[in-house]
Amino acid sequence: SSGINAEYGGNITEFRPDKWYEQEITNLKQKLEETFKSFNETMRRLSGVENKLNKTEHQLSEKVDQLQETRHLLNVTQIELKALREEARTLSTISKWDVLLTPSYYRKLLTQDLYTNLTQSWTMLEDFMGVNVTAGFVEH
């Protein structure tokens, strides 16, 4: 009652419960409308975020599929490469010309620079005279 008195200037004779009630109802309706507007705006933004999340999840799923496919191709390539290396290192298939099948020379114009690189790499072997040629030596 003291809140009501203060609200109406402290004069209890001016207090009209029906007016006070109407004002309270109006205030509550206004607050409810603001709450609904805020709720609807939040739901609209949430819907937008949900759409973005769904799109992102779909894109991520596609990327995971691509990654798995790439990983599979990489594994197959590594297996093939290992087999090719093993095959290339067997004495029965190695020739002095095999170096020309490497990416440094194959399908390239044989120039003085390429020739010099090739001969220098063989000349460098002089530094290893007396060393036993093993798989470890070759991989070094």
Side-chain angles (χ1 to χ4, degrees):
S1 124
S2 63
I4 294 172
N5 285 339
E7 190 174 332
Y8 289 95
N11 189 346
I12 194 77
T13 58
E14 294 178 16
F15 176 69
R16 293 185 50 201
D18 57 329
K19 291 287 185 185
W20 177 83
Y21 181 74
E22 286 177 21
Q23 185 61 44
E24 286 297 311
I25 295 294
T26 301
N27 291 344
L28 289 173
K29 284 181 179 178
Q30 187 177 12
K31 287 180 183 177
L32 186 59
E33 286 177 17
E34 291 171 6
T35 302
F36 273 126
K37 284 180 184 178
S38 177
F39 174 76
N40 287 334
E41 175 62 20
T42 300
M43 289 303 292
R44 185 190 64 74
R45 289 190 331 215
L46 181 59
S47 177
V49 169
E50 184 178 28
N51 288 338
K52 287 179 183 178
L53 176 62
N54 288 337
K55 183 178 178 183
T56 301
E57 285 176 339
H58 179 73
Q59 290 171 339
L60 179 60
S61 177
E62 287 177 346
K63 296 298 180 190
V64 166
D65 290 345
Q66 289 173 354
L67 178 61
Q68 288 174 341
E69 182 179 335
T70 301
R71 192 175 286 147
H72 173 73
L73 291 173
L74 177 61
N75 289 337
V76 169
T77 302
Q78 287 174 333
I79 291 168
E80 290 173 350
L81 180 60
K82 183 178 179 183
L84 288 172
R85 281 184 181 154
E86 288 173 5
E87 180 184 331
R89 289 197 174 152
T90 60
L91 292 177
S92 63
T93 59
I94 295 176
S95 82
K96 60 185 175 184
W97 300 104
D98 283 347
V99 71
L100 298 176
L101 295 174
T102 62
S104 298
Y105 300 99
Y106 192 63
R107 296 182 191 254
K108 298 211 174 134
L109 186 63
L110 186 57
T111 63
Q112 185 63 45
D113 286 342
L114 283 178
Y115 173 78
T116 302
N117 288 341
L118 183 61
T119 56
Q120 283 178 350
S121 63
W122 287 108
T123 304
M124 181 180 67
L125 283 175
E126 281 183 312
D127 296 341
F128 297 97
M129 292 297 249
V131 173
N132 190 17
V133 179
T134 63
F137 173 82
V138 173
E139 288 180 10
H140 170 69

